[in-house]
Amino acid sequence: MVRILNRALALGALVVPALTAQNPLPFPTDVVKSDLDSGYLHNSANQPAIVFRKTVKFDATAWLQFRFGPGTNLPAGSELRMTATADGGFQRHDGLTLVDWQNWSAAFNGGEVVVEILAAPNSRANRVEIEEIQRGIDVMGPESICGTVDNRALSTDPRQGRLFIGCTGWMISQDTMLTAGHCTASGSPIIEFNVPLSSSGGSVRRSNPNDQYPFTILNRLDAGVGSDWSVQRVSPNSTTGQLPTQRNGGQWYNLGPVPSSPGGQNIRITGYGSTSSPVSPTWYLAQKTHVGTLSNVGGTSLCYATDTTGGNSGSPIIHENTGNAIGIHSHGGCTSSGGCNSGTRIDRSDLQQAIAATNPNRARFTAYGSGCPSPLTFYELFSAFDLNGTSLRLTPVGGGYRVATCTAGCFSTFGSNLNLGDDSLATGLNLGFAFPFAGSTTSRIDVDSNGWIGLVSGQFTASDYSESVAEFLSGGARLAVRWDDFNPASGGGVYFDTFPGRAVITWSNVPQFGSNDQNTFQAQLFANGEIIMSFQSGSSSDGLTGLTQGNTTVDPGSRDLSASIPFTTGTGGLPVTLSSTSLPVLGSTIGLSMQNVPTNSLTVTLGLGFVQSSVDLTALGMPGCTSLVSAVEQIPMARIGSTAAVSLSIPNQA
């Protein structure tokens, strides 16, 4: 189900005789609130499988685009796939490309798109959440040209594209793009190339998703005529993995010198301006070009009698005599009786510095693996609970736990009913002893009717029935025995009993909310820190089982408990992290910084190598830690407190 929020008919602004910013012309759009949510889905098979498929459909719609919600989760190897029914336009997303696209999809022609999750083998918690849908509608825009006739002609320059905000952008290197500064203040940060003609009614048609690319603003200035520019870095398409310049055979605009005077000089403007009658509606926001005379050369600006309209903002100012781009079009000023349109000179010092800073001889900095120590936390997020009839014993080992099968004393007698209702939390229950946990002790706990225990009383303020990995990791210390939506008000009960050196918490014959099933499971906490979880009987529905010290940002990932026992958890604590002060660029020096270094460390070194590896470091006194690179050189890092740093010189050789 979707709910209409508002209708935004974006028509742009009329160009008046004074020099005014030629406003972006956003595509006529409905903004639609969506509550499409697949929920957490799992694939227990040993091969990829489609675990979710939904067709999103609107009538009288030219195109659709989705903005994904924060709950969207694509584990490693899983993909989100979208296919347009109208023309077969297709896009894939994984967890990394979603970040590049800032949680947006490409735009798809037509009013019907099939959304699917292709889940990786044995993956857990796949989810897609769409919180907003944009759909195109039929509206024509205004016009402002030099003179009484629109002299522009259709063109197909592959070096430029149409910004989703309704402007023009153009490539000046493999992955660097220019446009006007006022074009990048808001809107979906996506540029589309190979733009098709609009429909016969003037509805915008979108490029194939393979020709749509996300971009990041690197620097911009929006300060009026002659001071209106923006430099962006374009990222690869999420499906093809290619940049637009790789798709077009390595073509981009050359930047050239600005003429010293206007005499005998002509200017071409190519871009995606609007149209109106008598021009064909199919030309609306499609690529068009026109050549006019250069009227004036200012200190930072250029003025020319070349036709432009809303949507042309950001277009290259092309010196027709040389073919070089010499500026960025930004403002309108033409009327039916004269005037000129204008833009920013390419040789502005600040613009030149911003362009130079996009040195193409650079690499990316990507974190690989997670730092040591490894988390104490472990869990399994179930699509079908498979632990009924089994018991787990958690034995403290060196700050972590050894998790193994329990074979004796696994299920205890019980009898003290807490009389909990639906979604009820009993707080401050006295264990009668100090229970050691995560380097500290606790003597009071909280018990929730939904199958979990707050191990430090007071860290939770309310009951929680929706098992969530995010809440499990970020909340307080919790033992999720079988976290699910249970309702003891409809049957069974939750019990709390204490014995010398031992506490027993039991959920006996409690049904799931809205169900008549019966589920019995139990947890025992011992004064020596040991924990037993026993699952007597119950349904095979979903749920979450695990242990966390809480307030952690490290997700160890869902593990198959029945298949991975026995295993040993980490000791917890903050894992070390490695970050860079800048991107690696040939001939430059970058700073590398390591955080959360143990203060008792004797030395810290940086290992450099060309091959990723996996070497257990237990023999070096670092149990649970792994070297992820086959180091060919070790460089000492200077440590101050919990931080270590080193400067690394990059040779000036490709």
Side-chain angles (χ1 to χ4, degrees):
M1 180 181 71
V2 292
R3 298 183 290 275
I4 301 294
L5 287 184
N6 67 293
R7 172 164 292 189
L9 303 184
L11 301 181
L14 290 173
V15 177
V16 296
L19 291 178
T20 57
Q22 194 151 43
N23 290 338
L25 195 62
F27 311 135
T29 304
D30 269 349
V31 179
V32 180
K33 181 68 175 177
S34 169
D35 56 9
L36 188 151
D37 189 343
S38 69
Y40 289 110
L41 302 170
H42 318 297
N43 177 22
S44 58
N46 292 323
Q47 59 273 338
I50 294 177
V51 295
F52 177 79
R53 178 182 284 118
K54 178 72 174 181
T55 300
V56 179
K57 184 176 182 179
F58 289 86
D59 294 329
T61 296
W63 52 268
L64 291 174
Q65 186 187 13
F66 309 121
R67 183 161 63 88
F68 302 105
T72 299
N73 185 54
L74 298 173
S78 293
E79 292 184 359
L80 177 62
R81 297 184 166 195
M82 294 150 286
T83 308
T85 302
D87 59 7
F90 172 81
Q91 184 187 30
R92 62 167 292 282
H93 265 319
D94 57 29
L96 293 177
T97 61
L98 268 178
V99 174
D100 284 343
W101 287 65
Q102 300 182 38
N103 280 358
W104 283 96
S105 76
F108 300 91
N109 286 315
E112 183 173 309
V113 177
V114 178
V115 180
E116 301 174 311
I117 296 177
L118 180 66
N122 301 304
S123 61
R124 301 283 180 176
N126 296 273
R127 182 183 181 188
V128 59
E129 176 186 45
I130 297 178
E131 62 182 17
E132 180 180 296
I133 301 173
Q134 296 196 20
R135 70 185 192 95
I137 53 179
D138 289 356
V139 175
M140 289 292 292
E143 178 183 10
S144 175
I145 58 173
C146 301
T148 58
V149 178
D150 187 343
N151 293 299
R152 293 173 296 176
L154 288 177
S155 59
T156 57
D157 194 322
R159 299 172 293 178
Q160 63 170 245
R162 183 174 66 188
L163 304 187
F164 273 29
I165 192 177
C167 287
T168 301
W170 42 290
M171 305 301 296
I172 62 168
S173 73
Q174 185 175 25
D175 65 351
T176 305
M177 178 187 81
L178 299 184
T179 189
H182 71 266
C183 285
T184 53
S186 62
S188 176
I190 297 171
I191 183 171
E192 54 186 329
F193 289 77
N194 297 321
V195 175
L197 294 176
S198 294
S199 73
S200 59
S203 292
V204 172
R205 286 183 173 146
R206 314 311 295 255
S207 296
N208 188 291
N210 287 350
D211 289 318
Q212 299 180 28
Y213 306 83
F215 63 84
T216 302
I217 300 171
L218 301 179
N219 210 332
R220 61 184 288 267
L221 178 66
D222 180 11
V225 176
S227 303
D228 196 336
W229 56 264
S230 181
V231 181
Q232 296 84 27
R233 176 166 294 130
V234 180
S235 295
N237 180 273
S238 64
T239 301
T240 67
Q242 292 184 316
L243 293 164
T245 50
Q246 293 173 303
R247 295 270 287 178
N248 72 15
Q251 301 181 66
W252 53 76
Y253 284 94
N254 293 320
L255 306 181
V258 178
S260 58
S261 63
Q265 310 297 317
N266 292 318
I267 294 297
R268 177 181 295 275
I269 301 293
T270 303
Y272 299 87
S274 62
T275 57
S276 62
S277 180
V279 177
S280 170
T282 62
W283 291 27
Y284 180 70
L285 299 188
Q287 190 186 114
K288 297 173 291 296
T289 189
H290 178 237
V291 177
T293 57
L294 179 62
S295 305
N296 183 64
V297 177
T300 61
S301 64
L302 298 168
C303 211
Y304 33 86
T306 310
D307 289 342
T308 66
T309 53
N312 267 119
S313 282
S315 297
I317 301 173
I318 304 168
H319 187 202
E320 184 71 3
N321 305 58
T322 65
N324 294 326
I326 61 173
I328 302 171
H329 170 70
S330 60
H331 286 69
C334 276
T335 69
S336 59
S337 58
C340 60
N341 298 317
S342 65
T344 301
R345 289 176 56 145
I346 201 67
D347 55 2
R348 272 188 65 112
S349 59
D350 52 0
L351 174 55
Q352 285 292 307
Q353 291 170 9
I355 294 173
T358 66
N359 189 328
N361 296 316
R362 63 183 177 272
R364 292 187 176 186
F365 183 94
T366 302
Y368 174 71
S370 57
C372 173
S374 56
L376 178 149
T377 297
F378 73 89
Y379 68 90
E380 179 172 2
L381 184 64
F382 296 94
S383 58
F385 191 77
D386 63 359
L387 295 181
N388 288 319
T390 65
S391 299
L392 306 180
R393 184 184 297 272
L394 282 61
T395 304
V397 176
Y401 287 91
R402 177 173 172 78
V403 183
T405 301
C406 177
T407 57
C410 307
F411 195 84
S412 174
T413 58
F414 59 92
S416 300
N417 197 331
L418 291 173
N419 297 311
L420 296 182
D422 182 35
D423 298 333
S424 297
L425 180 67
T427 60
L429 302 178
N430 192 351
L431 295 174
F433 57 88
F435 175 71
F437 176 72
S440 184
T441 60
T442 180
S443 59
R444 293 182 180 273
I445 63 171
D446 301 336
V447 175
D448 194 282
S449 61
N450 293 301
W452 56 268
I453 300 168
L455 291 174
V456 180
S457 183
Q459 289 186 341
F460 297 95
T461 59
S463 175
D464 190 350
Y465 67 87
S466 56
E467 66 276 15
S468 160
V469 171
E471 294 176 19
F472 182 68
L473 297 175
S474 63
R478 179 173 0 215
L479 177 67
V481 189
R482 183 179 177 182
W483 183 9
D484 203 356
D485 188 4
F486 293 111
N487 183 13
S490 296
V494 183
Y495 298 80
F496 175 72
D497 299 275
T498 58
F499 305 91
R502 179 169 61 100
V504 180
I505 305 93
T506 310
W507 290 259
S508 176
N509 294 321
V510 291
Q512 295 184 93
F513 184 84
S515 176
N516 295 320
D517 58 6
Q518 295 182 335
N519 302 270
T520 298
F521 49 95
Q522 183 185 86
Q524 298 184 62
L525 308 180
F526 295 84
N528 65 358
E530 195 171 70
I531 301 172
I532 294 177
M533 293 188 286
S534 184
F535 310 95
Q536 289 290 93
S537 59
S539 67
S540 60
S541 65
D542 58 0
L544 188 150
T545 294
L547 173 70
T548 180
Q549 66 194 95
N551 301 311
T552 178
T553 58
V554 180
D555 184 357
S558 178
R559 67 186 305 153
D560 188 340
L561 293 176
S562 60
S564 60
I565 292 173
F567 63 88
T568 302
T569 74
T571 60
L574 294 173
V576 295
T577 61
L578 181 66
S579 60
S580 172
T581 58
S582 61
L583 292 177
V585 177
L586 291 182
S588 71
T589 298
I590 63 171
L592 296 176
S593 176
M594 185 182 296
Q595 291 77 38
N596 304 327
V597 177
T599 55
N600 61 350
S601 301
L602 295 178
T603 183
V604 181
T605 61
L606 172 70
L608 296 180
F610 298 100
V611 180
Q612 292 177 350
S613 67
S614 180
V615 179
D616 188 353
L617 298 178
T618 301
L620 298 180
M622 292 183 281
C625 298
T626 304
S627 173
L628 300 178
V629 62
S630 296
V632 297
E633 184 174 1
Q634 298 283 354
I635 301 177
M637 300 183 75
R639 181 173 67 82
I640 301 177
S642 61
T643 300
V646 67
S647 294
L648 187 65
S649 297
I650 309 296
N652 193 23
Q653 296 179 7

